[in-house]
Every structure is written in C-alpha cells, then in structure tokens.
Amino acid sequence: MIQLDNVSVSYGRGEREFCAVKDVSLHVPKSSIQGIIGFSGAGKSTLLRSINLLERPSAGRILIDGTDLTILNPAQLREARHNIGMIFQHFNLVNNLTVRKNVELALKFAGVSRAFRKEKARQALEIVDLASKENAYPGQLSGGQKQRVAIARALAPQPQILLCDEPTSAVDPRTTGSILQYLKDINTEFGITTVLVTHEMNVVKALADEIAILEGGALVEQVSTKDIRRKNFIPTSDIGAYLLDDSIRLNPTVELAASEPVQSVEELHHV
Amino acid sequence: MFERIVEIYPELLTALGQTFTMIAVAIPLAIAGGTPLGILLYLWGPDGLSPRPKVHKVLDTAVNIARSFPFLILLIAIIPFTRLLVGTTIGTAAVIVPLTINAVPYFARFVEQNLTQLGQGTVEAALAMGAKHRQVISHVLLVDAIPALVGSVTIMTVSFISYSAMAGLVGGGGIGDFAIRYGYYRYETPLMVLAILLMIALVSLVQVSGSRLSRALDKR
C-alpha cells in the first residue's frame, strides 16, 4: 500500500523556486494498478520518483505500508528501496553486462547471497520469457526486449511495489501491447502494487485500475477505469475529457499502439 | 650508415628499454592515483552522486594547477621533491617522478569525464535498486566506463611516450633523448630518422592495440 500525504517537490530557492509537484495526496491500495497521466511537464515523473525518494519531497510524507520513507536514514532507505522495483523509459540497463548479470545486479544490491543470484535471475527472466537471452548483451536486444529485461531486473528481488516511468514511450508501438500485457500479468500473478506514469491515454486506460490526472504539478482529477468505461464520470479537466472520448488520441503513436496489441489487453480487462 | 647503426645498436636498445621503463612505471601509477581522484571529482561534482561544491572546487582547482605546468617546467620545478623521493635527480628513476605527477591529474580528468558522460540513467536505476554509492561506482559506472577508460589510457600512454623524450634534460635517457643526442647534437641525421621511426612504431603499436581492446570490451 502506498500513501502520499500532501507531497510537494520543488527545486531552487527564493524567486527561482519551481514547484514540480504541488500538494498531492494519493492512496494506492495493495495489488492495484495506479495510473498517473498528464501533459509533459505536469510533474508526473517527479511524483513517481518521489515514491522511492529518487526525488526528495520538499513537503509531505511518503508512506509505504505505514512507514514514512522521508524520515529514514540512508541505510533504512536502501532497505526500503529493495521492496520497490522501478522501470524507466530508456530501460537504464548496464550495457557492458549480460542480461542475466544485469538482473543479478539488482539481487546483489538487495543483499541476496551469491549462491542464489544466478538461479533467481533466471527465474525472473523466465517471467518475461527471456531466459534464452541470458547471455546476450543489452545492445543485441530490441527495445521491447530491453524493457522486459528491466522488468525482470525490477522483479528479481521480489518487491511489493513496481514503479513504471513511461515504460512504453521508447519502444515501438507494436511492442507496447506486449509490455503492457507482461505488466498486467505480473500484477495479477504476484499482486504487485503498480504505479504507472505515462502520457499515452490508451496505455493508462488499458492497464490502470485508477487514473490520477496531473496538471501543473497538482492532482486535478482521480477516476477509476471502470467509471470511464461506463461513462460514469463527468470530467473537469481536458485530459479527463480526452480519457472519456475514445476517438481523441493525444499522441499519434498511440493510435498505432491501439491497433492490435493494446486492444488485446483491453479485451482482457473486459473479461 | 649500416655499420653505424650496428655500432650504435646496443645504445639504441638501452634507450628503448629506458622509454619502456618510464612508461611501464608511470602509466600504472597514474592509473592507480588518477582513478580514485577522478572518481572523487565526479562524485563531488555538480552532476555527481553526492555533490559537495566546496570540496569539489578545491580539488578541481588543485587538478587544474597541476595540469597547467608544461612538462619541461614541472620536470625542473620539482627537482627537490624528486630528490627527496628517489634519492637522485638524474636518470630514468628521476624522470618517472615528474611523469607520474603530470599523469595523475591528466588521467583523473579522463576518469571524471568518462563517468560524467555516462549520464544519470543507470545511476538512478541502481539507486532505485537500493545500491550504495560505492556499489553504484564499482558495479555500474566503472563497468560501463571501461571501454572509454581503456581509450583514455591509450591516449595518455601516447602522450607520455612523447613527454618522456624530454627526459634527456635530466639524463633520463630514452628513445627521444637518443634522437636529440645523436640526431641533433651530433648531426647524425640517419640515427635521428631511425629513432623517429621507432617512436612511430611504438606509438602505433600502443594506439592500435588500445583501440582494439577498447572496442572488444565495448558491448553497446
């Protein structure tokens, strides 16, 4: 369970102070998928990164299962981070390490002893169907495969929370659906609490249970995907209206993404 | 001419050996000293893992000062220090001291640059995984920087082969000194040409093998 209490993140001081996230409170129940959507510069990535304190909030509390991360000392924070996996838009794999070694790195940082790392890394790679690529280098993989390795790396230490920062924005539209499918399956199978930041309407609609809409750093609207689907929702923001209107696409690539793979996830949602 | 070369051959060999010794001692020392220094420059720098502007400024300035000395001036300026350290101010051992002192900050800059260039992505990923700063540096940054670092060692070695030619000034010997003594002072142009050819061969060998190694290690 994630609880954000009045979280603000600002940079700089005095007149040059810039507030990227303004007084956001958000509750993400265990095992749910929380989407965060907004235009670029809305502060959605900053908000996500404040959950594991990659960005330290200037005000507010970050509660993970009741523990406030903002008051932990560095060693305690590292310990807490072992429980929070994260994937990124540009994958952020170590290029000079093989796929399996990349996954093992997360296990090493999490304090898993050497004897278990290899096996656990293989198991994590099996979840994303990449066990056969364990000895390949990231440079030999496609964007979608790299993101799957990143997912395996995030999952290997068996975290309770998975943070996804624009996970499909750097993969080609046809691969988007497959990445979303993996994230959906992982959520279902392991009950992992997932927070997904994206600017793609279809992505968030396909995956999230709840959608938070950010504008200018502030949380302007929170709506469940169910209510969107039932049109049981009166939007007050532009993005809210876009979410409701199936014919409007903000990003041309999303349209492509929607063609087949993404819809398969949507169908899965309907079942 | 051929007889002259045969005659001078032992001395040429000695000169080559001296150059080799200077490089073989100074470069590893520069790597050993420059790597931690470069890591600190990165770590405390504005884009580093734990920026410490004031300490960074001091270190940065110190490195700049050390790098400002033309090698020839440094060679002379630190003579008392050299005597203190190796007990003599002439010969190959005496040249290794200024060579190393010049090479350490030189390599530190390479390390700093190579680490900074890697960008924030993998660092953030590692931090998100709960890595310690020490682990981020040793398991992520240095691993990804290795091909670039090998390239930097290559550039440094080539530069210092040329610097080592100034060793003649303090009786340090080496192939450059050989060229000056015979080619310049004694007007034996063929010996100068020979020495230059040897230098070209040496530099090419270092550059080609360095580039190959760097490419082999780069898995991007």
Side-chain angles (χ1 to χ4, degrees):
Chain A
M1 184 205 80
I2 306 167
Q3 174 81 41
L4 307 186
D5 282 345
N6 306 98
V7 171
S8 295
V9 183
S10 53
Y11 307 103
R13 277 191 205 139
E15 278 180 26
R16 290 196 308 178
E17 182 172 331
F18 169 72
C19 201
V21 172
K22 290 175 195 152
D23 198 30
V24 171
S25 294
L26 192 64
H27 174 80
V28 185
K30 189 167 168 47
S31 302
S32 68
I33 303 183
Q34 172 74 53
I36 299 175
I37 196 158
F39 296 108
S40 61
K44 50 193 190 302
S45 276
T46 309
L47 180 63
L48 183 81
R49 292 153 52 84
S50 75
I51 296 176
N52 62 358
L53 254 61
L54 278 184
E55 304 279 355
R56 192 167 272 277
S58 35
R61 300 195 302 165
I62 311 283
L63 298 162
I64 307 285
D65 291 330
T67 308
D68 184 0
L69 295 198
T70 61
I71 57 165
L72 299 183
N73 67 33
Q76 289 169 326
L77 177 60
R78 285 198 298 270
E79 192 60 38
R81 280 172 171 170
H82 298 152
N83 194 31
I84 309 173
M86 189 168 193
I87 60 172
F88 303 83
Q89 178 173 5
H90 297 292
F91 328 124
N92 297 350
L93 300 172
V94 181
N95 288 316
N96 276 325
L97 292 179
T98 63
V99 163
R100 197 187 73 231
K101 291 284 177 192
N102 263 286
V103 180
E104 282 184 32
L105 209 51
L107 293 164
K108 186 187 174 70
F109 295 158
V112 174
S113 76
R114 187 184 290 267
F116 300 111
R117 279 183 224 151
K118 195 170 175 179
E119 200 44 47
K120 279 179 176 276
R122 284 211 178 111
Q123 285 166 3
L125 284 167
E126 265 163 32
I127 297 171
V128 293
D129 299 313
L130 278 177
S132 60
K133 296 276 186 195
E134 62 170 324
N135 293 319
Y137 286 93
Q140 298 166 301
L141 304 180
S142 70
Q145 288 172 324
K146 282 184 203 169
Q147 193 59 290
R148 280 151 64 193
V149 174
I151 293 172
R153 180 176 68 173
L155 291 181
Q158 295 171 305
Q160 311 249 299
I161 293 169
L162 181 63
L163 307 178
C164 310
D165 191 0
E166 300 271 6
T168 57
S169 300
V171 301
D172 73 86
R174 297 188 63 88
T175 316
T176 297
S178 125
I179 297 291
L180 295 180
Q181 187 71 62
Y182 279 110
L183 292 175
K184 181 76 204 164
D185 290 348
I186 286 159
N187 171 258
T188 311
E189 190 172 343
F190 303 105
I192 194 166
T193 312
T194 306
V195 184
L196 166 83
V197 157
T198 180
H199 65 278
E200 296 169 304
M201 301 285 157
N202 280 36
V203 167
V204 77
K205 277 165 80 177
L207 202 60
D209 301 318
E210 289 281 330
I211 302 173
I213 301 169
L214 285 195
E215 260 179 34
L219 179 64
V220 293
E221 221 162 347
Q222 165 104 16
V223 58
S224 78
T225 321
K226 213 184 279 171
D227 284 343
I228 291 178
R229 213 173 288 116
R230 292 177 183 158
K231 312 268 181 205
N232 181 22
F233 156 60
I234 300 158
T236 56
S237 67
D238 284 349
I239 293 178
Y242 288 141
L243 279 172
L244 206 54
D245 188 342
D246 294 324
S247 61
I248 297 177
R249 311 267 189 239
L250 273 194
N251 184 329
T253 63
V254 177
E255 212 148 0
L256 285 164
S259 56
E260 2 163 6
V262 175
Q263 262 163 7
S264 75
V265 179
E266 276 182 331
E267 279 156 21
L268 188 111
H269 242 286
H270 285 297
V271 176
Chain B
M1 191 189 95
F2 185 68
E3 293 93 69
R4 181 73 182 120
I5 290 175
V6 172
E7 193 178 64
I8 211 77
Y9 180 70
E11 205 167 327
L12 192 62
L13 216 58
T14 311
L16 261 179
Q18 285 165 332
T19 296
F20 187 78
T21 309
M22 285 186 251
I23 296 303
V25 177
I27 298 297
L29 284 176
I31 295 169
T35 306
L37 191 58
I39 288 172
L40 289 180
L41 280 169
Y42 160 79
L43 189 70
W44 294 336
D47 298 321
L49 271 172
S50 53
R52 295 174 67 175
K54 279 179 191 154
V55 197
H56 179 261
K57 186 83 195 151
V58 171
L59 200 62
D60 192 57
T61 310
V63 167
N64 278 346
I65 290 171
R67 300 250 298 117
S68 305
F69 281 88
F71 182 65
L72 202 57
I73 310 293
L74 182 81
L75 189 72
I76 296 158
I78 64 157
I79 278 177
F81 178 70
T82 304
R83 180 181 291 125
L84 191 76
L85 207 66
V86 293
T88 175
T89 61
I90 53 163
T92 309
V95 186
I96 289 173
V97 177
L99 269 179
T100 307
I101 287 176
N102 200 318
V104 165
Y106 189 85
F107 192 64
R109 279 284 181 234
F110 272 129
V111 173
E112 180 195 19
Q113 189 132 38
N114 291 337
L115 294 183
T116 310
Q117 269 173 359
L118 291 174
Q120 294 289 320
T122 48
V123 173
E124 281 187 346
L127 290 176
M129 288 185 250
K132 295 173 188 151
H133 286 182
R134 192 170 43 78
Q135 290 175 316
V136 175
I137 288 166
S138 61
H139 290 88
V140 173
L141 283 172
L142 287 179
V143 170
D144 261 350
I146 275 177
L149 288 172
V150 169
S152 302
V153 171
T154 309
I155 296 174
M156 178 171 69
T157 308
V158 168
S159 299
F160 281 81
I161 289 175
S162 118
Y163 282 1
S164 74
M166 292 178 214
L169 205 71
V170 292
I175 190 74
D177 176 47
F178 177 93
I180 293 166
R181 274 189 294 130
Y182 289 92
Y184 182 60
Y185 293 144
R186 295 165 73 163
Y187 304 104
E188 293 191 65
T189 308
L191 290 185
M192 165 100 89
V193 172
L194 183 66
I196 290 168
L197 288 176
L198 277 171
M199 291 281 258
I200 292 172
L202 193 61
V203 166
S204 307
L205 185 74
V206 169
Q207 186 62 56
V208 169
S209 37
S211 303
R212 279 211 186 147
L213 182 62
S214 173
R215 226 173 305 136
L217 291 170
D218 195 351
K219 309 293 183 189
R220 265 176 299 178

